[in-house]
Amino acid sequence: MSDRRTGTAGRPRVVLVTGVSRYLGSRLAGRLAADRSIERIIGVDTVAPRGEQRQLLGRTEFVRADIRNPLIAKVIASGDVDTVVHLNVIATPTGAGGRTAMKEINVIGTMQLLAACQKAPSMRRLVVKSTTAVYGSSPRDPALFREELAPRALPRAGYAKDAVEVEGYVRGFGRRRPDVTLSLLRFTNFIGPTIDTPLTRYLSLPVVPTVLGFDPRIQLCHEDDGLEVLRRAVVEEHPGIFNVGGTGVLLLSQALRRLGRPALPVPSPGVSLVARAFRGAGVVDFSPEQMRYLEHGRVADVTRLREAFGWCPRPTAEAFADFVASARPPMLDPEVAAAAERTILDLLTRGRVAPAPSPGVLGA
Amino acid sequence: MPERHAARRPDNVIPLREDVVAPVPGPAGPAPEPADWERRLAGGLAFLRRRITGDYPVDDFGFDADLTEHVLLPPLRPLYDTWFRVETRGLDNVPDTGAALVVANHSGTLPLDALMTAIALLDHHPASRHLRMLAADLVFALPVLAPLARKGGNTLACNADAERLLSGGELVGVWPEGFKGIGKPFRERYKLQRFGRGGFVSAALRTGAPIIPCSIVGAEETYPMLGNAKTLARLLGLPYLPITPTFPLLGPLGAVPLPSKWIIEFGEPIETASLGGAAAAEDPMLVFNLTDQVRETIQSTLYTLLMQRRSVFF
């Protein structure tokens, strides 16, 4: 974890992490705690970290506070905080206690936090986790979204709409405090052996419902790489908006085949019914805007991240392979399939050595 | 066609070598080398295994070369070879490597002209180039068609995608007339419509890719559009709903195109690299002029080809 920076002026001294009892928050705080150049790490959340999360935190000081409460301003002022990492923008209503509460936490929480940051003279750096969902998902989308491209269809509901509003407030903060370095990180969907997101739950269903007649391109970010980007945004200096995700894409159908899960194509009008059933059963929490994602997909261009950070998350396919390795064994193992291919060929050609299949043979 | 017969010849020659005793008589005759059908079988099985286990690459645009070559295009080849008897000219004007923008006239109600051009470049160009086509957003809104279009190498006709493909060194195809061209009445056949807003020219200028004007004769007569059921089309959210001599009169049979004789001519490339790059793309006058030049070239080539054509069907 060495840093190439020469001066110490840009290094954070006191870092405040919101949403520290959650997956990313606890792990990021743990990584920062391992960095001895940072004096203090203050973790804030409404609930105390549980067993595993607590162990990850290391020397992080936990403050039980609600960012919707002006109390947060006292924490920032009294702690002389110079870097704030805002991870408390949550994607699913189930963990928050309903959609209304989720919106409260996301939007009102961000407003309060930013108001507190604006008043704090010690503030030097603000890192905000956002999502590529702000680009929406429509048939009129370009193949890859660059950071400056305006979405063709603004998200109208759910997490994506919250994220759009959060970004609006963050931009407002940036105008009022131009002396604070602002890093806005738009993450693609996370994947990995340990993280629990609507997407990983969806992909873990025994039979995966898809939208009939659509096959979206998906882009993934490995959990470890996402944390590394956050860490670098904290300890290095990277002002601007960045898409964060792996290069390359997988088609949903292709991902399911690699995972060895059967797909269940559902006609578009029936999809919302199925989604509601899953939501009711508490299996997967898929909002309507994520349903649109299942039709049209979304891919972001990560060139700016690679150039500014000098580093890039591993490709989508590799990140997904790590998830596949940890998932339930597929119905049809690729090695079994390869063996079956050889056996069938042997049987049909009666023991003669088959040539290596060359591409284009079938099309000739 | 001729090169495919040539490819099969070695199998036919092998039986003359009497010193080799073939263990199995296959349909291609006794042979020590794996017979043609065996190679096809091996290829087919390997293809099936790749599909079942998801072990194939897809690029950022969702282009699946494996599927395109083995599943999407083969059913169209008889159409190309036997039905339309497509004749290609000027294939050497298309570079073997690197970016180029093929700009062509659009016609025929259904975009068969785009598919045939793609086959021409994949099967008959010496470098077997995949044509990456720019398609209307309607295509990506329709179920079934949307994923097929992406897998076949199409992407949305917008500057961002065109420039990304061209700077990646791809061969890009664009039909700038769009729906105005493909959905025009039969009486206006071979009269080029407005060439969009010149977006394709600025994409070429920014990336320095040569523009290759491409003239397609024959597609206009595949589905002669005599009328347009505009009200119904609007209800269905379509840009037009054609009435042809066979559709909707013969129902599904109306989907069979008339067997017109096709000529696809690739013209001399128009260099854009020396015109000033991104700065030139910001000069609307230059963009308009270049757009007109491409349009004029295609229009005059169309007239020449029509003069040479003996009849619509031969």
Side-chain angles (χ1 to χ4, degrees):
Chain A
M1 298 271 169
S2 70
D3 195 10
R4 292 181 307 277
R5 294 182 69 84
T6 45
T8 52
R11 304 268 332 178
R13 222 167 43 77
V14 183
V15 182
L16 181 129
V17 181
T18 67
V20 80
S21 298
R22 302 170 66 84
Y23 182 92
L24 287 174
S26 56
R27 279 165 178 77
L28 177 69
R31 287 189 180 205
L32 294 174
D35 185 346
R36 283 287 151 191
S37 70
I38 302 172
E39 259 174 46
R40 283 177 75 192
I41 296 116
I42 304 171
V44 177
D45 210 325
T46 47
V47 288
R50 283 166 288 116
E52 187 210 5
Q53 252 84 356
R54 182 178 287 281
Q55 284 176 5
L56 286 167
L57 287 178
R59 62 189 172 99
T60 308
E61 301 156 45
F62 177 72
V63 178
R64 186 165 181 161
D66 191 335
I67 54 168
R68 285 171 289 174
N69 193 308
L71 183 74
I72 191 77
K74 285 208 184 75
V75 178
I76 292 176
S78 65
D80 212 16
V81 172
D82 56 30
T83 301
V84 170
V85 189
H86 183 31
L87 302 179
N88 208 9
V89 181
I90 48 180
T92 53
T94 31
R99 171 73 186 119
T100 321
M102 167 183 161
K103 193 174 172 77
E104 281 269 308
I105 295 171
N106 286 349
V107 180
I108 308 299
T110 302
M111 286 177 77
Q112 287 284 0
L113 179 73
L114 293 177
C117 291
Q118 195 180 324
K119 283 271 175 253
S122 54
M123 273 293 288
R124 291 288 166 270
R125 191 171 299 166
L126 176 67
V127 179
V128 180
K129 167 185 165 264
S130 184
T131 164
T132 53
V134 295
Y135 298 121
S137 203
S138 90
R140 295 167 63 211
D141 290 344
L144 279 85
F145 279 105
R146 286 214 309 265
E147 285 85 349
E148 64 271 22
L149 275 177
R152 300 288 169 118
L154 264 180
R156 277 168 307 189
Y159 175 44
K161 183 161 185 269
D162 290 359
V164 170
E165 291 180 6
V166 165
E167 287 200 359
Y169 291 120
V170 170
R171 262 192 292 274
F173 172 83
R175 274 196 302 276
R176 289 188 286 268
R177 281 294 299 267
D179 57 314
V180 175
T181 307
L182 195 59
S183 305
L184 188 61
L185 305 172
R186 289 180 181 154
F187 286 91
T188 61
N189 283 303
F190 280 105
I191 197 95
T194 57
I195 197 166
D196 178 23
T197 70
L199 186 77
T200 58
R201 287 190 179 204
Y202 168 75
L203 291 172
S204 304
L205 292 172
V207 176
V208 182
T210 59
V211 185
L212 181 68
F214 286 100
D215 196 2
R217 293 168 300 139
I218 55 176
Q219 181 186 24
L220 302 166
C221 180
H222 194 277
E223 51 193 31
D224 293 340
D225 299 340
L227 284 166
E228 178 62 14
V229 168
L230 281 169
R231 191 195 67 80
R232 285 174 185 245
V234 172
V235 300
E236 299 166 11
E237 191 155 4
H238 299 296
I241 304 176
F242 300 96
N243 293 328
V244 185
T247 48
V249 306
L250 283 174
L251 296 176
L252 180 61
S253 62
Q254 186 184 20
L256 293 179
R257 286 171 193 172
R258 290 189 181 189
L259 201 53
R261 291 267 191 292
L264 176 71
V266 180
S268 195
V271 170
S272 54
L273 282 176
V274 174
R276 208 169 301 154
F278 275 120
R279 198 155 48 224
V283 190
V284 179
D285 199 337
F286 248 50
S287 61
E289 126 262 340
Q290 281 160 322
M291 287 295 135
R292 287 177 62 77
Y293 176 72
L294 285 186
E295 287 185 3
H296 305 297
R298 182 191 316 120
V299 183
D301 186 346
V302 294
T303 312
R304 189 190 280 182
L305 175 83
R306 191 172 49 220
E307 284 169 1
F309 283 61
W311 185 83
C312 193
R314 73 195 76 174
T316 294
E318 279 178 36
F320 191 70
D322 199 25
F323 175 71
V324 172
S326 71
R328 267 180 292 173
M331 294 212 311
L332 180 65
D333 198 88
E335 281 167 30
V336 175
E341 180 196 341
R342 280 192 298 274
T343 315
I344 296 171
L345 203 59
D346 278 355
L347 282 175
L348 289 176
T349 57
R350 275 163 260 178
R352 283 226 311 263
V353 182
S358 60
V361 169
L362 204 70
Chain B
M1 286 302 276
E3 66 270 26
R4 255 179 244 159
H5 290 299
R8 251 178 234 136
R9 203 160 291 142
D11 289 335
N12 303 338
V13 176
I14 286 162
L16 294 176
R17 293 170 56 194
E18 286 166 9
D19 53 319
V20 183
V21 182
V24 185
E33 303 263 308
D36 190 40
W37 71 272
E38 279 177 31
R39 257 185 291 123
R40 281 163 169 269
L41 180 73
L45 281 174
F47 176 76
L48 261 182
R49 187 209 10 102
R50 286 198 303 273
R51 300 317 295 185
I52 291 172
T53 54
D55 181 20
Y56 46 87
V58 171
D59 81 356
D60 283 352
F61 299 84
F63 173 51
D64 185 341
D66 200 25
L67 189 78
T68 304
E69 284 167 24
H70 296 146
V71 176
L72 299 183
L73 290 185
L76 296 170
R77 289 197 170 109
L79 211 56
Y80 182 96
D81 291 326
T82 343
W83 198 255
F84 296 136
R85 295 144 289 144
V86 181
E87 179 189 332
T88 53
R89 296 181 184 176
L91 270 174
D92 50 341
N93 284 325
V94 181
D96 286 357
T97 55
L101 183 64
V102 175
V103 181
N105 58 312
H106 212 8
S107 59
T109 310
L110 292 180
L112 287 178
D113 47 1
L115 296 169
M116 293 303 129
T117 313
I119 294 184
L121 289 163
L122 184 65
D123 288 4
H124 300 278
H125 190 273
S128 287
R129 297 206 67 176
H130 280 289
L131 184 66
R132 309 297 300 272
M133 293 166 283
L134 303 178
D137 55 356
L138 176 71
V139 170
F140 300 102
L142 297 174
V144 184
L145 198 59
L148 281 183
R150 283 231 169 263
K151 287 171 192 181
N154 297 267
T155 193
L156 185 76
C158 63
N159 269 33
D161 285 16
E163 283 165 32
R164 190 177 291 277
L165 280 168
L166 287 172
S167 34
E170 299 283 353
L171 182 63
V172 180
V174 65
W175 282 260
E177 292 169 90
F179 289 126
K180 292 187 301 300
I182 193 171
K184 67 179 178 291
F186 188 59
R187 61 173 184 279
E188 286 177 32
R189 58 191 177 278
Y190 298 115
K191 286 203 185 82
L192 289 187
Q193 305 294 304
R194 181 164 61 81
F195 257 26
R197 290 170 232 175
F200 70 95
V201 169
S202 55
L205 283 170
R206 282 211 180 84
T207 53
I211 296 173
I212 301 166
C214 171
S215 315
I216 304 169
V217 161
E220 291 275 14
E221 291 88 3
T222 49
Y223 303 102
M225 187 159 143
L226 304 178
N228 182 2
K230 275 186 191 145
T231 318
L232 195 55
R234 206 171 301 140
L235 276 176
L236 295 172
L238 299 173
Y240 55 87
L241 194 71
I243 298 165
T244 72
T246 53
F247 183 85
L249 200 63
L250 301 182
L253 271 181
V256 178
L258 297 182
S260 51
K261 162 77 183 167
W262 284 38
I263 303 169
I264 301 179
E265 176 163 334
F266 298 93
E268 293 251 338
I270 301 168
E271 286 307 325
T272 61
S274 56
L275 291 178
E282 299 296 327
D283 178 358
M285 195 50 87
L286 180 70
V287 172
F288 282 138
N289 287 343
L290 205 50
T291 310
D292 275 348
Q293 186 193 338
V294 176
R295 191 171 172 277
E296 292 299 316
T297 310
I298 296 174
Q299 184 70 76
S300 62
T301 315
L302 281 177
Y303 287 142
T304 316
L305 289 175
L306 285 170
M307 298 271 278
Q308 292 170 4
R309 186 168 71 159
R310 277 174 296 153
S311 88
V312 172
F313 297 106
F314 299 102

